[in-house]
mmCIF file of all heavy atoms in Angstrom:
data_model
loop_
_atom_site.group_PDB
_atom_site.id
_atom_site.type_symbol
_atom_site.label_atom_id
_atom_site.label_comp_id
_atom_site.label_asym_id
_atom_site.label_seq_id
_atom_site.Cartn_x
_atom_site.Cartn_y
_atom_site.Cartn_z
ATOM 1 N N SER A 299 -42.952 15.702 72.680
ATOM 2 C CA SER A 299 -42.224 16.729 73.412
ATOM 3 C C SER A 299 -43.281 17.636 74.017
ATOM 4 O O SER A 299 -44.392 17.743 73.514
ATOM 5 C CB SER A 299 -41.303 17.508 72.479
ATOM 6 O OG SER A 299 -42.068 18.321 71.634
ATOM 7 N N CYS A 300 -42.957 18.279 75.089
ATOM 8 C CA CYS A 300 -43.970 19.020 75.842
ATOM 9 C C CYS A 300 -44.503 20.212 75.077
ATOM 10 O O CYS A 300 -45.508 20.781 75.454
ATOM 11 C CB CYS A 300 -43.371 19.474 77.172
ATOM 12 S SG CYS A 300 -42.951 18.067 78.206
ATOM 13 N N ASN A 301 -43.858 20.583 73.996
ATOM 14 C CA ASN A 301 -44.297 21.782 73.291
ATOM 15 C C ASN A 301 -44.902 21.514 71.928
ATOM 16 O O ASN A 301 -44.985 22.388 71.105
ATOM 17 C CB ASN A 301 -43.130 22.775 73.175
ATOM 18 C CG ASN A 301 -41.968 22.190 72.396
ATOM 19 O OD1 ASN A 301 -42.053 21.068 71.907
ATOM 20 N ND2 ASN A 301 -40.884 22.938 72.261
ATOM 21 N N SER A 345 -43.646 24.539 78.136
ATOM 22 C CA SER A 345 -42.532 25.221 77.493
ATOM 23 C C SER A 345 -42.768 26.724 77.371
ATOM 24 O O SER A 345 -41.840 27.501 77.307
ATOM 25 C CB SER A 345 -42.311 24.647 76.110
ATOM 26 O OG SER A 345 -43.486 24.828 75.344
HETATM 27 C C1 NAG B 627 -39.813 21.999 71.636
HETATM 28 O O1 NAG B 627 -39.132 21.032 72.417
HETATM 29 C C2 NAG B 627 -38.014 20.462 71.783
HETATM 30 C C3 NAG B 627 -37.440 19.411 72.713
HETATM 31 O O2 NAG B 627 -38.440 18.705 73.364
HETATM 32 C C4 NAG B 627 -36.983 21.534 71.471
HETATM 33 O O3 NAG B 627 -35.890 20.959 70.799
HETATM 34 C C5 NAG B 627 -37.621 22.631 70.624
HETATM 35 O O4 NAG B 627 -36.705 23.677 70.457
HETATM 36 C C6 NAG B 627 -38.866 23.180 71.308
HETATM 37 N N1 NAG B 627 -39.521 24.114 70.447
HETATM 38 C C7 NAG B 627 -40.010 25.261 70.891
HETATM 39 C C8 NAG B 627 -40.682 26.133 69.880
HETATM 40 O O5 NAG B 627 -39.965 25.599 72.067
#
Side-chain angles (χ1 to χ4, degrees):
S299 71
C300 296
N301 61 3
S345 60

